[in-house]
Amino acid sequence: MGVFSGLIDLLFPPKCAFCGKVADTGADGLCTKCGQTLPYTKDNERSHKGRFYDECVAPLRYEGNVRQSILRFKFKGAVSYTDVYGRLMAGCIRDTLAGKYDLITWAPLSPKRARNRGYDQAMLLAYAVALELDDVAVETLDKRVNVQAQSSITDKYARRANISGAYTAKDPELVAGKRVLLIDDIVTTGSTLSECARILLMAGAESVVCAVLARTI
């Protein structure tokens, strides 16, 4: 470690993205304790199949410190968590989805919500994941309809109806004949991923697999 990096760590000790405590030097956003005790998904729960997508994988369950961390990331501007999230997701993708995709993309926010939030969290995750995988993330979808936030709707059928028709393909030629890896932050009922996958398939994608940071289903 260089002298400058060491000085930065001394003046501004890195904190764990999950528990908020000062992390070990060089820990890159994940303290030793959380690294060992986070609610990692087990082999039999890491992946599930959804409507229009063949598989969705997640390294974590959406509970405890993981839930609080993601809420800070989405709504409190904690974009510095992106790197550690990207590493966790990329590791899961290497283990379970290697050889199953040709192109990486994400489930976008509407322009209005992105402006209000100041960033699109799924886009940040897709870029971080792609960087870890020595790949690139490509924008393939638009969300022009600013629908009610999915997190405010509990019924799965209402969530599906709420998101229906919200997305369009930006350029079908980008996805035509491609196996697409779709990135988002969490999966609850799978409605958002399913709608995005449906649009990608209609645009000519061969298949869609998904990866999220955490799952509730």
Side-chain angles (χ1 to χ4, degrees), residues 127-182:
Y127 286 162
V129 166
L131 185 63
E132 288 290 325
L133 296 173
D134 294 321
D135 207 329
V136 294
V138 180
E139 187 177 18
T140 63
L141 295 167
D142 272 327
K143 186 180 184 183
R144 290 301 171 190
V145 181
N146 187 44
V147 299
Q148 182 179 346
Q150 289 286 84
S151 58
S152 67
I153 304 172
T154 56
D155 179 76
K156 67 178 181 179
Y157 299 107
R159 289 172 71 101
R160 187 182 300 173
N162 182 59
I163 207 73
S164 179
Y167 298 94
T168 58
K170 287 184 69 69
D171 183 355
E173 290 186 2
L174 288 174
V175 300
K178 299 291 181 60
R179 300 171 301 165
V180 179
L181 170 58
L182 178 65

Side-chain angles (χ1 to χ4, degrees), residues 101-124:
Y101 64 91
D102 308 306
L103 179 151
I104 301 174
T105 192
W106 64 91
L109 290 179
S110 68
K112 179 179 180 180
R113 187 151 292 146
R115 284 195 303 271
N116 290 340
R117 189 168 297 175
Y119 52 93
D120 183 329
Q121 77 277 356
M123 181 185 73
L124 295 181

Side-chain angles (χ1 to χ4, degrees), residues 23-55:
D24 307 322
T25 300
D28 293 328
L30 183 64
C31 71
T32 300
K33 181 178 179 181
C34 285
Q36 297 172 346
T37 62
L38 285 176
Y40 296 103
T41 51
K42 299 176 183 177
D43 289 343
N44 64 345
E45 64 182 8
R46 176 169 283 192
S47 172
H48 77 275
K49 179 178 174 60
R51 296 176 72 247
F52 304 111
Y53 57 87
D54 295 338
E55 191 173 1

